[in-house]
Structure formats: C-alpha cells, structure tokens
Amino acid sequence: MNNKDRPLSPHLFIYRPQLTSLLSIVHRGTGAALGIGAVLLVVWLMTIAAGPEAYALAKELLGSWLGQLILLGITWMSAYHFCNGIRHLVWDTGRCLEISSVYRGGWLVIVMSFALTGVIWGIAYAGMEVG
C-alpha cells in the first residue's frame, strides 16, 4: 500500500472538542505550567536567602497587579491539577467510568478548582488583615 493512499490519523482538528478532551488538554497544560510556577517558588525562596533587599524586590513584584494575577493563575492551576488528579485516581480504581459519571466528574473538577482557589485566596487575604 502506498503511503499516500493510507488514511490520515485523526487529530485535534478532526474531532469536535468535548469536555473530556478539553479537560485532558488543560490538565497537561497546567502540569507543564506548574513547572514554571515551581521555578518561581524557588526564585522567591532564593530572595529570602539573599537578604532583605532582594526579598523586598520580590515582595514588590509579586504584590503588583501582574504578580497577583500570576499568583492567582498558579493557585487555580494547582487546584485544577489537584482536583483532576483525584478524578484520575478514582478512575484508576475502575469507578465512575460511565459517560454520565465522566461528565459529572469533569464539571465537578471545574467547579471545585474555582471554589478551592477562592477558599485559598480568602484565607490568604483574611490572614493579611489579621497580621
């Protein structure tokens, strides 16, 4: 059989996006982006070790609107990746594999990731008011 006569393998542009495929793509993307977030965490820890001037600069940068937006994104990605990871662990036990359960679990992951992000930021801001 000639290569040009073989059917093309289906890919992202052939299939209509579904919740399950989008959640899978987002899970992979958040996992990769959290690697960058880990580097940011290490840099922040290094500023603590470097002394008060370096830490003050890091605090100023992370306290800006852009820094806060980045931290919010990292928080949401962490919450999403965590919730979706739990969903995958449940699947590994052979449970919730019916289509209706898969979609219900997907929506639950989305809702819980935003709720968890809100709780974390609420606790953080409440702690700032106390301290």
Side-chain angles (χ1 to χ4, degrees):
M1 183 176 214
N2 208 342
N3 274 345
K4 66 180 180 176
D5 297 329
R6 296 179 67 192
L8 294 175
S9 177
H11 51 80
L12 291 176
F13 301 112
I14 300 291
Y15 292 116
R16 190 181 102 244
Q18 298 175 356
L19 180 64
T20 53
S21 61
L22 293 175
L23 292 179
S24 176
I25 292 166
V26 172
H27 186 78
R28 292 165 198 254
T30 57
L34 286 172
I36 297 167
V39 171
L40 181 62
L41 174 64
V42 170
V43 169
W44 176 72
L45 291 171
M46 288 171 61
T47 65
I48 294 172
E53 299 84 18
Y55 179 70
L57 177 62
K59 187 176 178 183
E60 182 180 332
L61 291 173
L62 292 174
S64 71
W65 71 268
L66 181 58
Q68 292 289 290
L69 187 63
I70 290 169
L71 291 174
L72 179 65
I74 290 171
T75 306
W76 177 80
M77 287 186 290
S78 298
Y80 174 82
H81 206 75
F82 174 75
C83 292
N84 205 40
I86 291 173
R87 180 174 169 234
H88 279 265
L89 287 173
V90 170
W91 287 351
D92 288 345
T93 67
R95 294 182 180 95
C96 300
L97 295 173
E98 304 80 25
I99 293 295
S100 62
S101 295
V102 168
Y103 275 85
R104 193 170 37 254
W107 286 112
L108 183 62
V109 164
I110 292 169
V111 169
M112 290 305 296
S113 67
F114 284 106
L116 189 55
T117 300
V119 167
I120 291 169
W121 276 70
I123 291 170
Y125 274 104
M128 287 176 24
E129 291 175 6
V130 172

Short mmCIF file of all heavy atoms in Angstrom, two decimals, residues 29-91:
data_model
loop_
_atom_site.label_atom_id
_atom_site.label_comp_id
_atom_site.label_asym_id
_atom_site.label_seq_id
_atom_site.Cartn_x
_atom_site.Cartn_y
_atom_site.Cartn_z
N GLY A 29 -1.56 20.96 30.20
CA GLY A 29 -1.05 22.33 30.18
C GLY A 29 -0.77 22.88 31.56
O GLY A 29 0.27 23.51 31.79
N THR A 30 -1.68 22.61 32.50
CA THR A 30 -1.46 23.09 33.87
C THR A 30 -0.28 22.38 34.50
O THR A 30 0.49 22.99 35.25
CB THR A 30 -2.71 22.94 34.75
OG1 THR A 30 -3.12 21.56 34.76
CG2 THR A 30 -3.85 23.82 34.28
N GLY A 31 -0.11 21.11 34.19
CA GLY A 31 1.05 20.38 34.72
C GLY A 31 2.35 20.99 34.25
O GLY A 31 3.29 21.18 35.03
N ALA A 32 2.41 21.33 32.97
CA ALA A 32 3.62 21.96 32.43
C ALA A 32 3.83 23.35 33.02
O ALA A 32 4.95 23.72 33.40
CB ALA A 32 3.52 22.04 30.91
N ALA A 33 2.76 24.13 33.10
CA ALA A 33 2.87 25.49 33.63
C ALA A 33 3.25 25.50 35.12
O ALA A 33 3.93 26.41 35.59
CB ALA A 33 1.57 26.24 33.41
N LEU A 34 2.81 24.49 35.85
CA LEU A 34 3.18 24.41 37.26
C LEU A 34 4.68 24.19 37.44
O LEU A 34 5.23 24.54 38.48
CB LEU A 34 2.37 23.33 37.97
CG LEU A 34 0.91 23.70 38.22
CD1 LEU A 34 0.12 22.51 38.74
CD2 LEU A 34 0.81 24.88 39.19
N GLY A 35 5.33 23.64 36.44
CA GLY A 35 6.79 23.54 36.47
C GLY A 35 7.42 24.93 36.51
O GLY A 35 8.38 25.18 37.25
N ILE A 36 6.86 25.85 35.73
CA ILE A 36 7.33 27.24 35.75
C ILE A 36 7.00 27.87 37.10
O ILE A 36 7.81 28.62 37.66
CB ILE A 36 6.69 28.03 34.59
CG1 ILE A 36 7.15 27.45 33.26
CG2 ILE A 36 7.04 29.52 34.68
CD1 ILE A 36 6.37 27.93 32.06
N GLY A 37 5.84 27.55 37.64
CA GLY A 37 5.47 28.04 38.97
C GLY A 37 6.43 27.55 40.04
O GLY A 37 6.76 28.27 40.98
N ALA A 38 6.92 26.33 39.89
CA ALA A 38 7.89 25.79 40.85
C ALA A 38 9.20 26.56 40.77
O ALA A 38 9.84 26.83 41.79
CB ALA A 38 8.12 24.30 40.58
N VAL A 39 9.59 26.94 39.56
CA VAL A 39 10.81 27.76 39.40
C VAL A 39 10.60 29.11 40.07
O VAL A 39 11.50 29.61 40.76
CB VAL A 39 11.16 27.92 37.91
CG1 VAL A 39 12.27 28.93 37.71
CG2 VAL A 39 11.55 26.58 37.29
N LEU A 40 9.42 29.70 39.91
CA LEU A 40 9.11 30.97 40.57
C LEU A 40 9.19 30.83 42.08
O LEU A 40 9.72 31.70 42.77
CB LEU A 40 7.72 31.46 40.15
CG LEU A 40 7.25 32.79 40.73
CD1 LEU A 40 8.16 33.92 40.28
CD2 LEU A 40 5.82 33.08 40.30
N LEU A 41 8.70 29.73 42.62
CA LEU A 41 8.79 29.47 44.06
C LEU A 41 10.24 29.40 44.51
O LEU A 41 10.61 29.98 45.54
CB LEU A 41 8.05 28.18 44.41
CG LEU A 41 8.17 27.69 45.86
CD1 LEU A 41 7.55 28.70 46.82
CD2 LEU A 41 7.54 26.32 46.02
N VAL A 42 11.08 28.71 43.75
CA VAL A 42 12.50 28.60 44.11
C VAL A 42 13.17 29.97 44.07
O VAL A 42 13.95 30.31 44.96
CB VAL A 42 13.21 27.59 43.18
CG1 VAL A 42 14.71 27.65 43.35
CG2 VAL A 42 12.69 26.18 43.43
N VAL A 43 12.85 30.77 43.06
CA VAL A 43 13.42 32.12 42.97
C VAL A 43 12.99 32.94 44.17
O VAL A 43 13.80 33.66 44.78
CB VAL A 43 13.02 32.80 41.64
CG1 VAL A 43 13.37 34.28 41.65
CG2 VAL A 43 13.68 32.09 40.46
N TRP A 44 11.71 32.84 44.56
CA TRP A 44 11.23 33.57 45.73
C TRP A 44 11.98 33.12 46.99
O TRP A 44 12.38 33.96 47.79
CB TRP A 44 9.72 33.34 45.88
CG TRP A 44 9.14 33.97 47.10
CD1 TRP A 44 8.93 35.30 47.33
CD2 TRP A 44 8.69 33.30 48.27
NE1 TRP A 44 8.38 35.49 48.57
CE2 TRP A 44 8.23 34.27 49.17
CE3 TRP A 44 8.64 31.96 48.65
CZ2 TRP A 44 7.71 33.95 50.42
CZ3 TRP A 44 8.12 31.65 49.89
CH2 TRP A 44 7.67 32.63 50.77
N LEU A 45 12.18 31.81 47.15
CA LEU A 45 12.93 31.31 48.30
C LEU A 45 14.38 31.80 48.27
O LEU A 45 14.97 32.11 49.33
CB LEU A 45 12.89 29.79 48.35
CG LEU A 45 11.53 29.17 48.69
CD1 LEU A 45 11.56 27.66 48.49
CD2 LEU A 45 11.12 29.53 50.11
N MET A 46 14.95 31.90 47.09
CA MET A 46 16.32 32.40 46.97
C MET A 46 16.40 33.88 47.38
O MET A 46 17.41 34.30 47.95
CB MET A 46 16.84 32.21 45.54
CG MET A 46 17.12 30.75 45.21
SD MET A 46 17.49 30.47 43.47
CE MET A 46 18.93 31.46 43.23
N THR A 47 15.34 34.65 47.12
CA THR A 47 15.36 36.06 47.53
C THR A 47 15.33 36.17 49.05
O THR A 47 15.93 37.10 49.61
CB THR A 47 14.19 36.86 46.93
OG1 THR A 47 12.95 36.39 47.44
CG2 THR A 47 14.21 36.82 45.42
N ILE A 48 14.67 35.23 49.70
CA ILE A 48 14.66 35.23 51.17
C ILE A 48 16.08 34.99 51.68
O ILE A 48 16.56 35.67 52.59
CB ILE A 48 13.69 34.17 51.72
CG1 ILE A 48 12.25 34.54 51.37
CG2 ILE A 48 13.84 34.02 53.24
CD1 ILE A 48 11.23 33.46 51.69
N ALA A 49 16.75 34.03 51.06
CA ALA A 49 18.11 33.70 51.48
C ALA A 49 19.10 34.81 51.12
O ALA A 49 20.12 34.98 51.79
CB ALA A 49 18.56 32.39 50.83
N ALA A 50 18.80 35.58 50.07
CA ALA A 50 19.72 36.62 49.60
C ALA A 50 19.71 37.86 50.48
O ALA A 50 20.63 38.66 50.41
CB ALA A 50 19.40 36.99 48.15
N GLY A 51 18.68 38.03 51.27
CA GLY A 51 18.65 39.17 52.17
C GLY A 51 17.43 40.05 52.00
O GLY A 51 16.61 39.86 51.09
N PRO A 52 17.31 41.06 52.87
CA PRO A 52 16.11 41.91 52.91
C PRO A 52 15.86 42.70 51.62
O PRO A 52 14.71 42.88 51.23
CB PRO A 52 16.37 42.87 54.07
CG PRO A 52 17.48 42.28 54.85
CD PRO A 52 18.24 41.37 53.95
N GLU A 53 16.93 43.15 50.96
CA GLU A 53 16.74 43.95 49.74
C GLU A 53 16.14 43.10 48.62
O GLU A 53 15.21 43.52 47.92
CB GLU A 53 18.06 44.57 49.26
CG GLU A 53 18.70 45.52 50.26
CD GLU A 53 19.54 44.81 51.31
OE1 GLU A 53 19.92 43.63 51.09
OE2 GLU A 53 19.80 45.42 52.35
N ALA A 54 16.68 41.91 48.43
CA ALA A 54 16.18 41.02 47.39
C ALA A 54 14.75 40.60 47.70
O ALA A 54 13.89 40.55 46.80
CB ALA A 54 17.08 39.79 47.25
N TYR A 55 14.47 40.30 48.97
CA TYR A 55 13.12 39.89 49.35
C TYR A 55 12.13 41.04 49.16
O TYR A 55 11.00 40.82 48.71
CB TYR A 55 13.08 39.39 50.79
CG TYR A 55 11.69 38.99 51.22
CD1 TYR A 55 11.09 37.85 50.69
CD2 TYR A 55 10.96 39.76 52.12
CE1 TYR A 55 9.81 37.49 51.05
CE2 TYR A 55 9.68 39.40 52.48
CZ TYR A 55 9.10 38.27 51.96
OH TYR A 55 7.84 37.92 52.32
N ALA A 56 12.55 42.26 49.47
CA ALA A 56 11.67 43.43 49.28
C ALA A 56 11.33 43.60 47.81
O ALA A 56 10.17 43.92 47.47
CB ALA A 56 12.35 44.68 49.83
N LEU A 57 12.30 43.37 46.93
CA LEU A 57 12.03 43.47 45.50
C LEU A 57 11.03 42.38 45.06
O LEU A 57 10.08 42.66 44.33
CB LEU A 57 13.32 43.35 44.70
CG LEU A 57 13.18 43.35 43.18
CD1 LEU A 57 12.56 44.67 42.70
CD2 LEU A 57 14.52 43.11 42.52
N ALA A 58 11.24 41.16 45.53
CA ALA A 58 10.33 40.07 45.18
C ALA A 58 8.92 40.35 45.71
O ALA A 58 7.93 40.12 45.02
CB ALA A 58 10.84 38.75 45.74
N LYS A 59 8.86 40.87 46.92
CA LYS A 59 7.56 41.19 47.52
C LYS A 59 6.85 42.29 46.73
O LYS A 59 5.64 42.21 46.50
CB LYS A 59 7.76 41.63 48.97
CG LYS A 59 6.50 41.83 49.74
CD LYS A 59 6.79 42.15 51.20
CE LYS A 59 5.52 42.40 51.95
NZ LYS A 59 5.77 42.79 53.34
N GLU A 60 7.62 43.26 46.27
CA GLU A 60 7.04 44.34 45.47
C GLU A 60 6.53 43.81 44.13
O GLU A 60 5.43 44.14 43.70
CB GLU A 60 8.09 45.42 45.24
CG GLU A 60 7.58 46.62 44.46
CD GLU A 60 8.66 47.67 44.26
OE1 GLU A 60 9.57 47.77 45.09
OE2 GLU A 60 8.57 48.40 43.25
N LEU A 61 7.33 42.96 43.47
CA LEU A 61 6.92 42.41 42.18
C LEU A 61 5.70 41.50 42.31
O LEU A 61 4.76 41.60 41.53
CB LEU A 61 8.08 41.64 41.54
CG LEU A 61 9.26 42.49 41.06
CD1 LEU A 61 10.40 41.58 40.61
CD2 LEU A 61 8.84 43.43 39.96
N LEU A 62 5.71 40.62 43.30
CA LEU A 62 4.59 39.70 43.48
C LEU A 62 3.35 40.41 44.03
O LEU A 62 2.24 39.91 43.89
CB LEU A 62 4.99 38.52 44.37
CG LEU A 62 6.01 37.56 43.76
CD1 LEU A 62 6.44 36.53 44.78
CD2 LEU A 62 5.45 36.90 42.51
N GLY A 63 3.56 41.56 44.66
CA GLY A 63 2.43 42.33 45.19
C GLY A 63 1.77 43.23 44.16
O GLY A 63 0.69 43.76 44.39
N SER A 64 2.41 43.40 43.00
CA SER A 64 1.82 44.22 41.95
C SER A 64 0.61 43.50 41.36
O SER A 64 0.40 42.31 41.58
CB SER A 64 2.86 44.49 40.86
OG SER A 64 3.13 43.29 40.13
N TRP A 65 -0.17 44.22 40.55
CA TRP A 65 -1.35 43.60 39.97
C TRP A 65 -0.97 42.44 39.06
O TRP A 65 -1.65 41.42 39.06
CB TRP A 65 -2.21 44.64 39.23
CG TRP A 65 -1.59 45.13 37.96
CD1 TRP A 65 -0.78 46.22 37.81
CD2 TRP A 65 -1.70 44.54 36.67
NE1 TRP A 65 -0.39 46.34 36.51
CE2 TRP A 65 -0.94 45.32 35.77
CE3 TRP A 65 -2.37 43.42 36.17
CZ2 TRP A 65 -0.83 45.03 34.42
CZ3 TRP A 65 -2.26 43.13 34.82
CH2 TRP A 65 -1.50 43.93 33.96
N LEU A 66 0.14 42.57 38.33
CA LEU A 66 0.57 41.49 37.47
C LEU A 66 1.06 40.29 38.29
O LEU A 66 0.74 39.15 37.98
CB LEU A 66 1.68 41.96 36.52
CG LEU A 66 2.20 40.92 35.52
CD1 LEU A 66 1.07 40.39 34.64
CD2 LEU A 66 3.32 41.51 34.68
N GLY A 67 1.80 40.57 39.36
CA GLY A 67 2.26 39.49 40.23
C GLY A 67 1.10 38.76 40.88
O GLY A 67 1.09 37.53 40.98
N GLN A 68 0.11 39.52 41.31
CA GLN A 68 -1.08 38.92 41.92
C GLN A 68 -1.85 38.08 40.91
O GLN A 68 -2.35 37.00 41.24
CB GLN A 68 -2.00 40.00 42.50
CG GLN A 68 -1.42 40.72 43.70
CD GLN A 68 -1.39 39.83 44.92
OE1 GLN A 68 -2.42 39.51 45.48
NE2 GLN A 68 -0.20 39.42 45.32
N LEU A 69 -1.92 38.55 39.67
CA LEU A 69 -2.59 37.79 38.61
C LEU A 69 -1.85 36.48 38.34
O LEU A 69 -2.47 35.42 38.19
CB LEU A 69 -2.68 38.63 37.34
CG LEU A 69 -3.49 38.04 36.19
CD1 LEU A 69 -4.96 37.86 36.60
CD2 LEU A 69 -3.39 38.93 34.97
N ILE A 70 -0.52 36.54 38.32
CA ILE A 70 0.28 35.33 38.12
C ILE A 70 0.07 34.36 39.27
O ILE A 70 -0.13 33.16 39.06
CB ILE A 70 1.77 35.69 37.94
CG1 ILE A 70 1.98 36.40 36.59
CG2 ILE A 70 2.66 34.46 38.06
CD1 ILE A 70 3.34 37.04 36.43
N LEU A 71 0.08 34.86 40.50
CA LEU A 71 -0.14 34.00 41.67
C LEU A 71 -1.54 33.40 41.67
O LEU A 71 -1.72 32.23 42.03
CB LEU A 71 0.12 34.78 42.96
CG LEU A 71 1.57 35.17 43.23
CD1 LEU A 71 1.67 36.06 44.46
CD2 LEU A 71 2.44 33.94 43.38
N LEU A 72 -2.53 34.18 41.24
CA LEU A 72 -3.89 33.66 41.14
C LEU A 72 -3.94 32.53 40.11
O LEU A 72 -4.55 31.49 40.35
CB LEU A 72 -4.86 34.78 40.75
CG LEU A 72 -6.32 34.38 40.58
CD1 LEU A 72 -6.92 33.90 41.90
CD2 LEU A 72 -7.13 35.54 40.01
N GLY A 73 -3.28 32.73 38.98
CA GLY A 73 -3.23 31.70 37.95
C GLY A 73 -2.56 30.44 38.45
O GLY A 73 -3.03 29.32 38.20
N ILE A 74 -1.45 30.59 39.16
CA ILE A 74 -0.74 29.43 39.70
C ILE A 74 -1.62 28.71 40.72
O ILE A 74 -1.66 27.47 40.76
CB ILE A 74 0.61 29.85 40.31
CG1 ILE A 74 1.57 30.27 39.20
CG2 ILE A 74 1.22 28.72 41.14
CD1 ILE A 74 2.85 30.91 39.70
N THR A 75 -2.34 29.47 41.52
CA THR A 75 -3.22 28.87 42.52
C THR A 75 -4.33 28.07 41.84
O THR A 75 -4.60 26.93 42.22
CB THR A 75 -3.85 29.95 43.42
OG1 THR A 75 -2.82 30.75 44.00
CG2 THR A 75 -4.67 29.32 44.54
N TRP A 76 -4.95 28.67 40.80
CA TRP A 76 -6.01 27.95 40.10
C TRP A 76 -5.46 26.70 39.41
O TRP A 76 -6.08 25.64 39.46
CB TRP A 76 -6.73 28.83 39.08
CG TRP A 76 -7.75 28.02 38.35
CD1 TRP A 76 -8.99 27.68 38.80
CD2 TRP A 76 -7.57 27.35 37.10
NE1 TRP A 76 -9.61 26.85 37.87
CE2 TRP A 76 -8.76 26.64 36.83
CE3 TRP A 76 -6.54 27.30 36.17
CZ2 TRP A 76 -8.94 25.89 35.67
CZ3 TRP A 76 -6.71 26.55 35.02
CH2 TRP A 76 -7.90 25.86 34.77
N MET A 77 -4.30 26.84 38.76
CA MET A 77 -3.72 25.67 38.08
C MET A 77 -3.42 24.55 39.08
O MET A 77 -3.64 23.38 38.78
CB MET A 77 -2.45 26.06 37.32
CG MET A 77 -2.73 26.87 36.08
SD MET A 77 -1.26 27.17 35.09
CE MET A 77 -0.35 28.31 36.11
N SER A 78 -2.92 24.91 40.24
CA SER A 78 -2.65 23.91 41.28
C SER A 78 -3.93 23.23 41.73
O SER A 78 -3.98 22.00 41.86
CB SER A 78 -1.96 24.56 42.49
OG SER A 78 -0.73 25.10 42.13
N ALA A 79 -4.97 24.03 41.96
CA ALA A 79 -6.26 23.48 42.40
C ALA A 79 -6.85 22.58 41.32
O ALA A 79 -7.34 21.48 41.61
CB ALA A 79 -7.22 24.62 42.76
N TYR A 80 -6.81 23.03 40.07
CA TYR A 80 -7.35 22.24 38.97
C TYR A 80 -6.59 20.93 38.82
O TYR A 80 -7.19 19.86 38.71
CB TYR A 80 -7.31 23.03 37.65
CG TYR A 80 -7.72 22.18 36.48
CD1 TYR A 80 -9.06 21.99 36.19
CD2 TYR A 80 -6.77 21.51 35.71
CE1 TYR A 80 -9.45 21.18 35.14
CE2 TYR A 80 -7.15 20.69 34.67
CZ TYR A 80 -8.49 20.54 34.39
OH TYR A 80 -8.87 19.71 33.37
N HIS A 81 -5.27 21.02 38.81
CA HIS A 81 -4.45 19.83 38.61
C HIS A 81 -4.67 18.83 39.76
O HIS A 81 -4.73 17.62 39.54
CB HIS A 81 -2.98 20.24 38.51
CG HIS A 81 -2.13 19.29 37.75
ND1 HIS A 81 -2.16 19.21 36.38
CD2 HIS A 81 -1.23 18.38 38.16
CE1 HIS A 81 -1.31 18.28 35.98
NE2 HIS A 81 -0.74 17.76 37.04
N PHE A 82 -4.82 19.35 40.97
CA PHE A 82 -5.08 18.52 42.14
C PHE A 82 -6.43 17.81 42.01
O PHE A 82 -6.52 16.58 42.17
CB PHE A 82 -5.04 19.38 43.40
CG PHE A 82 -5.43 18.67 44.65
CD1 PHE A 82 -4.57 17.77 45.26
CD2 PHE A 82 -6.66 18.90 45.24
CE1 PHE A 82 -4.93 17.10 46.42
CE2 PHE A 82 -7.04 18.24 46.40
CZ PHE A 82 -6.17 17.34 46.99
N CYS A 83 -7.48 18.59 41.72
CA CYS A 83 -8.83 18.01 41.61
C CYS A 83 -8.92 17.01 40.46
O CYS A 83 -9.50 15.93 40.61
CB CYS A 83 -9.87 19.11 41.42
SG CYS A 83 -10.10 20.18 42.86
N ASN A 84 -8.33 17.34 39.33
CA ASN A 84 -8.39 16.43 38.20
C ASN A 84 -7.52 15.20 38.46
O ASN A 84 -7.84 14.11 37.99
CB ASN A 84 -7.97 17.14 36.90
CG ASN A 84 -8.55 16.49 35.68
OD1 ASN A 84 -9.70 16.08 35.68
ND2 ASN A 84 -7.76 16.40 34.63
N GLY A 85 -6.45 15.36 39.22
CA GLY A 85 -5.63 14.21 39.59
C GLY A 85 -6.41 13.23 40.46
O GLY A 85 -6.31 12.01 40.29
N ILE A 86 -7.21 13.76 41.38
CA ILE A 86 -8.07 12.90 42.21
C ILE A 86 -9.07 12.17 41.32
O ILE A 86 -9.32 10.97 41.51
CB ILE A 86 -8.78 13.72 43.30
CG1 ILE A 86 -7.75 14.20 44.33
CG2 ILE A 86 -9.89 12.92 43.96
CD1 ILE A 86 -8.31 15.14 45.36
N ARG A 87 -9.62 12.88 40.34
CA ARG A 87 -10.56 12.26 39.40
C ARG A 87 -9.90 11.08 38.68
O ARG A 87 -10.49 10.01 38.53
CB ARG A 87 -11.02 13.32 38.41
CG ARG A 87 -11.99 12.87 37.38
CD ARG A 87 -12.45 14.11 36.60
NE ARG A 87 -13.18 13.74 35.42
CZ ARG A 87 -12.90 14.15 34.19
NH1 ARG A 87 -11.89 14.96 33.99
NH2 ARG A 87 -13.62 13.78 33.18
N HIS A 88 -8.67 11.27 38.26
CA HIS A 88 -7.94 10.19 37.59
C HIS A 88 -7.66 9.02 38.54
O HIS A 88 -7.70 7.86 38.12
CB HIS A 88 -6.64 10.72 36.99
CG HIS A 88 -6.84 11.40 35.67
ND1 HIS A 88 -6.70 10.75 34.47
CD2 HIS A 88 -7.19 12.67 35.37
CE1 HIS A 88 -6.94 11.60 33.49
NE2 HIS A 88 -7.26 12.77 34.02
N LEU A 89 -7.37 9.33 39.80
CA LEU A 89 -7.15 8.26 40.77
C LEU A 89 -8.42 7.44 40.98
O LEU A 89 -8.36 6.22 41.12
CB LEU A 89 -6.67 8.84 42.10
CG LEU A 89 -5.23 9.35 42.13
CD1 LEU A 89 -4.93 10.04 43.46
CD2 LEU A 89 -4.25 8.21 41.88
N VAL A 90 -9.57 8.12 40.98
CA VAL A 90 -10.84 7.40 41.10
C VAL A 90 -11.03 6.50 39.89
O VAL A 90 -11.42 5.34 40.02
CB VAL A 90 -12.03 8.39 41.25
CG1 VAL A 90 -13.36 7.68 41.12
CG2 VAL A 90 -11.94 9.12 42.59
N TRP A 91 -10.71 7.00 38.71
CA TRP A 91 -10.81 6.18 37.50
C TRP A 91 -9.89 4.97 37.58
O TRP A 91 -10.23 3.89 37.10
CB TRP A 91 -10.44 6.99 36.27
CG TRP A 91 -11.46 7.99 35.83
CD1 TRP A 91 -12.74 8.14 36.30
CD2 TRP A 91 -11.27 8.98 34.84
NE1 TRP A 91 -13.36 9.16 35.66
CE2 TRP A 91 -12.48 9.71 34.75
CE3 TRP A 91 -10.23 9.35 34.02
CZ2 TRP A 91 -12.66 10.76 33.86
CZ3 TRP A 91 -10.40 10.40 33.14
CH2 TRP A 91 -11.61 11.08 33.06
#
